[in-house]
Amino acid sequence: MRQGQETVDHPVTSKPRLRGSNQSGMRAHNERLVLSLVRREGALAKSDIARMTGLSAQTVSVIMRALEADGLLRRGEPIRGRIGQPSVPMSLAPDGAYFLGLKIGRRSLELTLIDFLGQPVASRRRIYAYPTPDAVVAFTAEALPAVLRELPPDRRQRVGGMGIAMPFQLWNWVQYVGAPQAEMDAWRNRDIQSELSTLAGMPVHVQNDATAACGAELVFGTGERPKDFLYFYFAYFIGGGLVLNGHLFTGRTGNAAGVGPMPVPGRDGQMRRLLNVASMSVLAQAMERAGEDPSTLWVNPDHWDVSERVLSDWLDDAAAGLASATLSASALVEMDTVMIDGWMPTGIRAEIVRRTTAALHRLDLSGIEPPLIRAGTVGAQARALGAAAIPLSQRYLVEAWGATVES
């Protein structure tokens, strides 16, 4: 896999070029190339793939027969009416492969099993006060067999790996999550990746949680997917990701575009971290001060039980912070889109998009081409789905996912 530090082609609206090689020894790459194209474009005939990749018709025919034999592609109905043989579109087979995604959050755990299309097959979730390694291992030991039982026995061998989406350096966030320092320090010396790989009996990959959510948008997002975009994900803390030239950019440590520490002005003009104005934890604190119960925020992403006054004040502050962060990012990286998603009702997400757009256009945009701000398309489950997309991408796609480690 390439690392994602790609030179950005222009115009930014063009799709990343995917080219194959007819040289011997390139079959594995070419197979991943074909699967990537079919995932991105939908059902394609052999002639379409040959034209789009530059591969010979014979090479494409061999590859697609192999992928069909492996159960990764399935035939559609022949398209007749053209000169010569009917065209047969090939699409991804949902049951061709399965992947597990474990989201380790600051308030909840979630294990999700997805099919080859990225559709959830089964999931288990647990809410806690704060995350510890022992809690994660115990939850996985209980939830993994239950999730796998949702598959017919003959399909369980098609589970191709597990991805973990989690905040990095959890021990540094004790003051924000209200956890005992001693228990959070356990994360310093525990190799959770290795432990869960042994427990699950399969490869395990680890990624920052917000970066994984951004990856879910890249791999599973619907509608028009821009080639370059900045991504904000609302959770206990706000996080983010960055896609450049159609590839997830993760940086040297895998934590690039971690937008939470970005300085933004508050209402009083003093500079604050974005995470201190636009995180769900900030909303929870405001609810507590108003005598409201914030626990509902972590239970159901489709419904928040919060008063209009408290919610509106938080939305204004969050939108102002996002607008300032967007302006700063746009001054460094040309991008045509900013996506906003999170663990929240779709109506509230739409309101954040609206208020952020308005706040951005109240700023001094001289010399800046303001990006389009729009809602993400994956939704509340983006972190768990993004975790599952890591091993999928590692095995079957050519898009660079960034620096992940396989145990």
Side-chain angles (χ1 to χ4, degrees):
M1 286 289 182
R2 294 172 300 180
Q3 291 300 307
Q5 288 87 340
E6 305 284 343
T7 300
V8 180
D9 296 330
H10 292 282
V12 295
T13 53
S14 65
K15 293 179 179 177
R17 282 172 279 179
L18 301 176
R19 303 295 293 175
S21 172
N22 292 296
Q23 298 177 8
S24 61
M26 293 295 293
R27 176 175 170 178
H29 170 80
N30 288 337
E31 287 181 348
R32 290 151 67 98
L33 174 63
V34 168
L35 291 171
S36 297
L37 279 172
V38 175
R39 180 173 297 278
R40 191 181 75 184
E41 304 290 340
L44 293 172
K46 297 174 185 177
S47 58
D48 297 322
I49 291 176
R51 171 178 50 81
M52 298 168 74
T53 62
L55 294 170
S56 69
Q58 180 181 6
T59 298
V60 171
S61 182
V62 170
I63 289 172
M64 299 199 63
R65 281 201 302 268
L67 293 174
E68 184 181 13
D70 289 342
L72 298 173
L73 291 180
R74 65 181 181 185
R75 291 174 176 264
E77 292 297 322
I79 300 175
R80 305 183 185 277
R82 300 176 181 176
I83 298 175
Q85 294 293 323
S87 175
V88 180
M90 304 286 283
S91 59
L92 298 178
D95 60 353
Y98 298 89
F99 300 92
L100 291 155
L102 176 66
K103 185 271 292 185
I104 302 175
R106 294 177 178 84
R107 284 293 182 263
S108 67
L109 282 163
E110 185 174 359
L111 181 67
T112 298
L113 176 70
I114 66 169
D115 65 19
F116 200 34
L117 299 183
Q119 299 300 314
V121 175
S123 66
R124 296 292 186 276
R125 184 167 181 266
R126 179 170 299 167
I127 299 174
Y128 46 35
Y130 51 84
T132 65
D134 286 341
V136 170
V137 172
F139 168 77
T140 306
E142 177 184 336
L144 180 58
V147 165
L148 293 179
R149 281 195 296 269
E150 299 287 334
L151 286 178
D154 62 333
R155 295 184 185 176
R156 293 172 193 169
Q157 63 183 3
R158 300 185 189 180
V159 178
M162 176 189 292
I164 300 175
M166 63 179 292
F168 288 169
Q169 298 185 357
L170 277 163
W171 56 87
N172 284 332
W173 302 96
V174 171
Q175 63 181 4
Y176 294 100
V177 299
Q181 183 69 60
E183 292 197 48
M184 299 303 286
D185 279 343
W187 286 103
R188 294 178 184 268
N189 302 313
R190 290 284 288 273
D191 186 350
I192 201 70
Q193 178 183 12
S194 178
E195 289 186 46
L196 293 185
S197 180
T198 300
L199 174 64
M202 64 182 70
V204 169
H205 310 259
V206 178
Q207 183 61 276
N208 172 268
D209 56 342
T211 304
C214 182
E217 186 67 48
L218 179 63
V219 177
F220 302 132
T222 59
E224 182 179 351
R225 274 171 280 184
K227 196 171 72 166
D228 305 292
F229 64 90
L230 178 64
Y231 178 88
F232 293 101
Y233 187 87
F234 278 83
Y236 187 86
F237 292 143
I238 192 164
L242 180 64
V243 170
L244 296 176
N245 196 29
H247 301 289
L248 188 64
F249 182 84
T250 59
R252 178 176 56 85
T253 65
N255 204 33
V259 296
M262 290 183 71
V264 298
R267 291 190 180 190
D268 57 3
Q270 297 296 313
M271 300 301 290
R272 291 175 171 79
R273 286 181 162 194
L274 180 63
L275 66 88
N276 289 326
V277 297
S279 298
M280 285 176 56
S281 59
V282 177
L283 175 60
Q285 293 165 7
M287 293 175 67
E288 288 180 339
R289 289 193 297 268
E292 302 175 19
D293 180 10
S295 65
T296 60
L297 297 177
W298 323 117
V299 175
N300 183 359
D302 297 324
H303 176 73
W304 286 1
D305 189 10
V306 52
S307 66
E308 179 62 30
R309 179 184 62 81
V310 170
L311 178 61
S312 185
D313 286 348
W314 176 75
L315 288 172
D316 280 341
D317 289 344
L322 292 184
S324 180
T326 296
L327 177 59
S328 297
S330 298
L332 291 175
V333 180
E334 285 190 318
M335 54 195 173
D336 61 351
T337 304
V338 167
M339 290 194 187
I340 298 174
D341 215 335
W343 179 268
M344 60 178 56
T346 56
I348 292 177
R349 183 182 63 184
E351 184 63 15
I352 291 178
V353 169
R354 187 190 71 79
R355 296 193 191 200
T356 301
T357 300
L360 177 63
H361 286 272
R362 287 194 295 267
L363 300 177
D364 183 358
L365 299 176
S366 300
I368 300 293
E369 184 67 28
L372 171 68
I373 299 175
R374 65 182 180 89
T377 65
V378 178
Q381 308 304 321
R383 289 170 295 174
L385 295 180
I390 303 171
L392 185 158
S393 181
Q394 293 279 348
R395 290 191 61 175
Y396 293 116
L397 302 182
V398 296
E399 288 92 347
W401 185 265
T404 60
V405 181
E406 180 176 326
S407 63

